[in-house]
Amino acid sequence: MHKKNSTNFSGKILITISVLLLVSVLLSCGCGAREPVKQGSSEVKTPPAAVTPKPSADVEKASTDVILVKSPSSINFFGWKGASDFENAAVVLKKLGINFEIISDTDLGKKIPPCKIIVLANARCLNMGAMKNIREFSKNGGKVFATYMSGYRDQNNELPGKENNFIIADVYGVDFSQWVSNPTRCEYMQYGKNRVQLGRNQAMLVKPSEGSAVEAVWLKPDGSQETEGGLNLPAIVINKNRNCVYCSEDLFAPENSDSAVVLSIIAELFEKLEPGVVKAKINSADRSIKPEFVIPSEITDTVKPAGPVIRAWLGNQYPALYISCADDLVISSDNLEKIKKDNDGGVYTKKTASIPVRKNDLVYFMPVSVADKAPYINIYDSKNKLVARSVSMIRVKHKSGFSPIKLVDLNKNGTYSFSAYRGNLEFSPAGTGLMKIVNELTLDEYVAGVVPREVPSSYPDEALNAMAVVARTFAANSMGRHKDEGADVCNTVHCQVYGGVMGEALSTDKAVTSTAGEMILSGGKPAFTTFHSTCGGYGADLDSAWGGTQPYLVGGFDGPGEYGRDLSDEKTFRDFIDNPPACYCSKSGRFRWTQTYNEKDLQKAFGESLGKTVGRGALDTGRIRNLTITKRAKDGRALNLEIICDAGVFNVEKDKMRWLTNGGKIGTGGLPSTLLYIKKDGDKFIIKGAGWGHGVGMCQEGAKGMALAGKKYREIILHYYPGTEIK
C-alpha cells in the first residue's frame, strides 16, 4: 500500500478489532449487532464433473504456479481504489502461500509464460491480445480464476463486438446479465451449506452457460434465492471444462478477503482448479480483522472546499458504523448525554454540548431501538467503552483540517464495507436499529464525488471537464429537492450518483478544479442539465422522455455529419437502427443492442410491473399476445407501447416502458432505452434498440467521442445544451 504522504485509516497504529469480543460487549449494553440471515437447508448442487482438457507441455512445465495479471487500463478506470485493490490481490496470494508472478496484460498479449493458473482480479479493461492468448491457454488445459468485471471491455474500455457481454465469456462459462450495487441483490451468497455475507456489495449478475457448474448463488436478505427469469442467479461458476472459476463479486478486494471466511473460500476455489497450489493453512474461524485503508494524498489534497454548501442524503439504512478521520473531530448534538459510572458502579448521564475525537481515533455509532422508547444512538470510544448517547441528530464536524471522514460497516464474519466523505456528517436515529446519514459539504467537494461515479475516470480530459460542469449545474438546479429528508440531493440516480471519496481519481478531481465555479445558465439561472450514458446516435427531446419543454433540451443527430431524416417514420427508424451512420457514441457497448423474451418471460415480468405502471396494483396479465409501438417521436423514441394480453389491452407511455422488465422500478434490469422496435417470432419477442438511458441532454459516451475528435469541453456542452451559456 502507498504509505508515504497519505492519509491512513488507522494512523501509525494498526487497529485490530475482535468481532466476537465486540459483539459480546455491545450485547451487554442492551444493543444488538446486525444479524445474518437465518441458515436455510438449501445447498448449492453442481452437475457432474466434465472432462478437463489435458494440459499442454507449457502448462505442465510451469516455472510458476500462478500469474496475477496487472492491467494498467483497469487500474486507471477504477481510480485510486483500483490500485489499492490490485495490490490486495497480491496480498491474498501471499496469504495463501501461492507461488505467483505479476505480469502486465500487455506482456501477456505477446506470450503467456508457462504457468498453471492465470488470475484476473477485476481486470475490467484487458488487452485484446491478452484475452486472445487467455482463450488459447484455456483451450490447452490452462486454468483461469477471474472475478467481477474482468474482461468486460478492452484496454480502451470499448466493446469490440455488438453483444454487451464479457469478451471472454466463453472461457468463464457465463453470460453477463446486469450490474448491481445493491446489498439486497449481492450481500449474501450460499456457498455449499453456508450463507456468506460479503462486504463490497457490487456484482455482475450472470447466467451460467450450458454445462457450467454453479458453486454459489446470490441470496436475498430474507434468505431466499435471488432469481431472474425463474433461474437462480449464480455468484460463483466453474465452466463446463472445469478449468475456470468465475466470481461475480471481487472476492480479492480487502472488504471481502480480509475475512478469514472469504479467504478460505478463495483457497478452496484455487484447490478445485489445481490441487496443492495453496500452501498455507487458513483458519476460517478467525474473526480478528485489521481494516486498514490508505487514501492517497493526491486525492485528499487536490480538491479543496469551494462553492456554496450542499447537503447530500446518503440514505436511512445504515447499521452500526465505525468512524475515524485523520483530523480532529467534534461530536455534538442538541440532546447529547455523556455516560459515566459513579463510585458504586452505577451508570448516570450528564448532558453535554460536545465530545472531542482525536485524529485517527476510532469511534463506534450504534443505533438502538427499544419498544415504547424513542430510538437513540450509542457512542463508543476507541476502547469500545460506551461514552455517550443521543435521541436526536448527531453532528460530526472537523475541528481542524478537511480530511475525509471514514466509515466502516463491519460484519460478524469479518467482511466490511468502507466509505469516506469530505465535509461533515450528520447521523439521526431512523428506527429499527438503523441511522440516517446526511453529508454536508461544499459544491465542488460534492461534484468530486459525482464525476467518477457517472463517467469512467479514463475518459479524455475534455469529456471529464464537460461532466464536471454538467454535474455542478445539475446539483445547483436541484437544491432542496430532498428537503423532506433534510437535504438538497440524494446519492442515487434520482439526482446524481454520489459516492464520496471512494471513487475519486486524480483525473476527475482535476476536472473539478480546472472548471471551478463554472455553470451552464439559461435565462441567468442554472439549467436543468440532465444527462445519460448513450443516446444511440440521436438525442431525445424532453417531451419524448417525460413531457414538458425546455429550449435547450431538444433532440438531434449526434454525429459529425448531417442526418436530416425524420425517425418517426417506422421504415426510416428501423434502417437507422440496423444500419447506423457514424455517431459520436458508436464505441459504446450499448450503442446497439438486442434483447429476446419469450411469452413466459414477459408474463412474469409484466405480472410484477404492469399493474404498478398503469395504476392498477397487482395484475395477472395471463398470456402476452402482442407488443406494438403505436406512436413514435421524430427523434425515434417510442411514445406508446400497446400491450395485448389475456387481461386486456394496456398502453404504457414514454420512458415508463423501460421499467416493465424491472418490476416497474428504475434500475439496471430495465430496457436500455426507448429507441427501439419490436419483432415477434413465434412465442418470442425480439427487441432491437439503441442507446442506454433516457436520451435527454448530454450523451456521456458522445461527449467522450467528441473529445476524442478534438472538441473542447465548452463545445461539447453547447452541442448538448444549445442556446445556453457557460459562466
Side-chain angles (χ1 to χ4, degrees):
M1 307 283 277
H2 306 294
K3 299 208 182 256
K4 294 183 179 180
N5 299 320
S6 59
T7 304
N8 195 320
F9 177 79
S10 54
K12 295 181 180 179
I13 302 175
L14 187 64
I15 300 167
T16 303
I17 304 167
S18 175
V19 179
L20 295 180
L21 177 61
L22 174 63
V23 169
S24 65
V25 170
L26 296 177
L27 288 174
S28 69
C29 299
C31 309
R34 181 171 52 171
E35 291 292 328
V37 295
K38 294 181 179 179
Q39 174 69 43
S41 60
S42 60
E43 180 179 354
V44 177
K45 298 184 183 297
T46 60
V51 178
T52 305
K54 183 179 179 181
S56 67
D58 277 349
V59 173
E60 290 184 329
K61 68 179 183 180
S63 59
T64 185
D65 287 337
V66 170
I67 285 177
L68 174 61
V69 180
K70 183 174 184 179
S71 166
S73 295
S74 300
I75 292 172
N76 185 39
F77 179 90
F78 291 108
W80 72 269
K81 187 63 168 63
S84 174
D85 285 351
F86 177 78
E87 290 175 2
N88 197 74
V91 170
V92 168
L93 296 180
K94 289 178 182 177
K95 286 181 179 178
L96 297 178
I98 291 176
N99 175 28
F100 75 98
E101 294 179 8
I102 297 175
I103 295 180
S104 74
D105 61 340
T106 301
D107 288 340
L108 206 68
K110 299 172 184 175
K111 182 181 179 181
I112 296 181
C115 67
K116 296 176 181 177
I117 304 174
I118 291 175
V119 173
L120 304 173
N122 194 19
R124 172 189 165 108
C125 306
L126 271 176
N127 178 280
M128 284 296 292
M131 286 190 278
K132 178 182 177 181
N133 286 345
I134 288 170
R135 181 177 283 113
E136 194 63 28
F137 173 78
S138 175
K139 287 180 180 178
N140 291 332
K143 292 153 187 182
V144 179
F145 194 131
T147 69
Y148 194 35
M149 292 189 178
S150 293
Y152 185 57
R153 294 291 185 263
D154 68 10
Q155 66 269 24
N156 299 315
N157 192 35
E158 294 176 355
L159 184 65
K162 293 183 178 181
E163 186 179 2
N164 186 33
N165 201 354
F166 300 102
I167 298 172
I168 47 176
D170 54 320
V171 175
Y172 299 163
V174 301
D175 290 305
F176 171 70
S177 176
Q178 60 176 294
W179 174 80
V180 292
S181 61
N182 188 330
T184 62
R185 305 293 305 275
C186 55
E187 181 174 12
Y188 293 93
M189 70 177 182
Q190 180 93 27
Y191 179 76
K193 294 182 178 180
N194 301 314
R195 298 191 187 282
V196 181
Q197 188 175 15
L198 298 180
R200 281 193 348 138
N201 307 145
Q202 298 177 26
M204 302 286 272
L205 299 186
V206 299
K207 297 177 182 178
S209 305
E210 185 177 354
S212 293
V214 176
E215 292 290 311
V217 296
W218 290 116
L219 301 174
K220 297 177 182 178
D222 64 4
S224 62
Q225 294 187 359
E226 185 72 51
T227 62
E228 184 173 287
L231 300 175
N232 296 331
L233 287 174
I236 302 173
V237 173
I238 297 182
N239 69 356
K240 66 179 180 180
N241 291 327
R242 308 299 183 258
N243 67 337
C244 178
V245 167
Y246 172 76
C247 304
S248 64
E249 230 281 44
D250 186 9
L251 298 188
F252 292 103
E255 299 96 317
N256 292 322
S257 61
D258 276 358
S259 162
V261 173
V262 176
L263 190 63
S264 66
I265 292 173
I266 297 173
E268 287 179 21
L269 294 172
F270 270 114
E271 285 295 298
K272 287 185 179 184
L273 281 177
E274 184 68 32
V277 72
V278 175
K279 304 297 193 297
K281 292 184 178 180
I282 306 300
N283 178 13
S284 63
D286 183 7
R287 294 295 187 272
S288 296
I289 70 160
K290 302 173 182 180
E292 182 182 22
F293 273 86
V294 178
I295 303 176
S297 59
E298 65 180 15
I299 296 298
T300 59
D301 296 346
T302 298
V303 176
K304 300 293 193 298
V309 171
I310 187 170
R311 294 170 58 82
W313 174 44
L314 305 183
N316 290 0
Q317 303 299 314
Y318 287 87
L321 293 170
Y322 290 94
I323 300 166
S324 181
C325 185
D327 297 320
D328 291 337
L329 299 173
V330 175
I331 296 174
S332 63
S333 175
D334 293 341
N335 294 286
L336 190 63
E337 295 178 326
K338 202 169 184 179
I339 297 174
K340 291 188 175 182
K341 287 187 177 180
D342 59 25
N343 294 332
D344 297 325
V347 176
Y348 70 93
T349 61
K350 180 181 179 181
K351 193 168 183 178
T352 185
S354 62
I355 298 174
V357 178
R358 293 179 300 178
K359 64 180 181 179
N360 296 320
D361 271 1
L362 198 69
V363 296
Y364 187 70
F365 282 15
M366 164 67 80
V368 181
S369 295
V370 181
D372 301 323
K373 288 187 178 181
Y376 57 94
I377 297 174
N378 277 340
I379 303 173
Y380 297 80
D381 66 12
S382 57
K383 298 179 181 179
N384 294 330
K385 177 184 176 184
L386 179 62
V387 294
R389 69 183 178 202
S390 178
V391 296
S392 57
M393 184 261 289
I394 296 174
R395 293 173 289 274
V396 180
K397 293 189 174 185
H398 290 79
K399 183 178 180 181
S400 61
F402 49 86
S403 295
I405 299 174
K406 304 169 187 178
L407 308 177
V408 174
D409 175 12
L410 181 63
N411 302 318
K412 279 188 174 182
N413 67 349
T415 60
Y416 55 91
S417 61
F418 178 83
S419 55
Y421 298 93
R422 299 178 186 272
N424 305 314
L425 294 173
E426 296 175 358
F427 300 80
S428 301
T432 63
L434 298 171
M435 295 180 288
K436 177 181 84 171
I437 303 180
V438 172
N439 184 195
E440 184 180 79
L441 67 171
T442 64
L443 184 56
D444 271 14
E445 291 175 303
Y446 165 77
V447 173
V450 169
V451 175
R453 295 288 179 169
E454 290 290 359
V455 293
S457 59
S458 56
Y459 265 25
D461 289 346
E462 294 299 324
L464 293 178
N465 289 345
M467 187 68 244
V469 178
V470 167
R472 185 182 294 114
T473 307
F474 189 95
N477 181 273
S478 301
M479 298 295 278
R481 195 175 188 183
H482 282 276
K483 61 182 179 181
D484 289 345
E485 289 81 20
D488 295 305
V489 295
C490 68
N491 63 343
T492 73
V493 293
H494 178 260
C495 293
Q496 298 183 103
V497 180
Y498 168 64
V501 179
M502 296 303 292
E504 287 186 31
L506 186 59
S507 60
T508 57
D509 281 354
K510 285 182 176 179
V512 175
T513 57
S514 65
T515 64
E518 292 185 6
M519 289 196 195
I520 304 164
L521 305 180
S522 177
K525 297 179 180 180
F528 175 51
T529 51
T530 185
F531 52 90
H532 58 282
S533 169
T534 307
C535 71
Y538 213 103
D541 288 347
L542 178 62
D543 183 60
S544 297
W546 308 303
T549 59
Q550 283 287 0
Y552 52 85
L553 293 178
V554 290
F557 178 61
D558 194 29
E562 296 291 332
Y563 189 86
R565 302 169 72 183
D566 184 353
L567 296 185
S568 63
D569 176 73
E570 192 67 22
K571 184 178 179 181
T572 301
F573 174 76
R574 295 194 180 204
D575 181 65
F576 176 79
I577 296 295
D578 296 337
N579 303 289
C583 302
Y584 289 127
C585 61
S586 60
K587 295 292 186 180
S588 167
R590 298 290 182 96
F591 179 65
R592 292 293 180 270
W593 50 265
T594 300
Q595 294 188 0
T596 302
Y597 300 88
N598 60 39
E599 290 181 7
K600 289 184 178 179
D601 292 335
L602 291 181
Q603 184 174 339
K604 183 178 184 300
F606 289 4
E608 296 173 352
S609 62
L610 185 56
K612 297 177 188 177
T613 305
V614 299
R616 288 269 301 267
L619 180 64
D620 181 5
T621 63
R623 282 189 61 192
I624 306 300
R625 304 289 180 171
N626 203 13
L627 303 176
T628 307
I629 302 298
T630 60
K631 188 178 181 182
R632 193 179 295 282
K634 62 181 176 61
D635 56 40
R637 264 66 189 182
L639 297 179
N640 188 78
L641 172 65
E642 181 185 76
I643 302 170
I644 301 176
C645 59
D646 288 349
V649 178
F650 300 90
N651 290 280
V652 179
E653 294 185 342
K654 301 180 180 179
D655 211 50
K656 290 181 181 179
M657 67 183 71
R658 292 177 58 203
W659 317 123
L660 289 171
T661 56
N662 196 53
K665 305 185 296 278
I666 295 175
T668 54
L671 291 172
S673 78
T674 59
L675 198 63
L676 56 83
Y677 70 85
I678 304 170
K679 295 193 303 183
K680 195 169 189 298
D681 182 10
D683 72 338
K684 293 182 179 180
F685 293 91
I686 302 169
I687 305 177
K688 300 193 70 174
W692 190 13
H694 48 69
V696 183
M698 187 175 77
C699 169
Q700 293 165 319
E701 287 288 337
K704 173 187 174 183
M706 292 185 71
L708 291 174
K711 305 293 184 182
K712 301 300 183 182
Y713 76 94
R714 287 175 171 261
E715 293 178 88
I716 295 171
I717 290 171
L718 295 178
H719 169 75
Y720 289 112
Y721 307 100
T724 60
E725 56 181 346
I726 305 168
K727 286 188 176 181

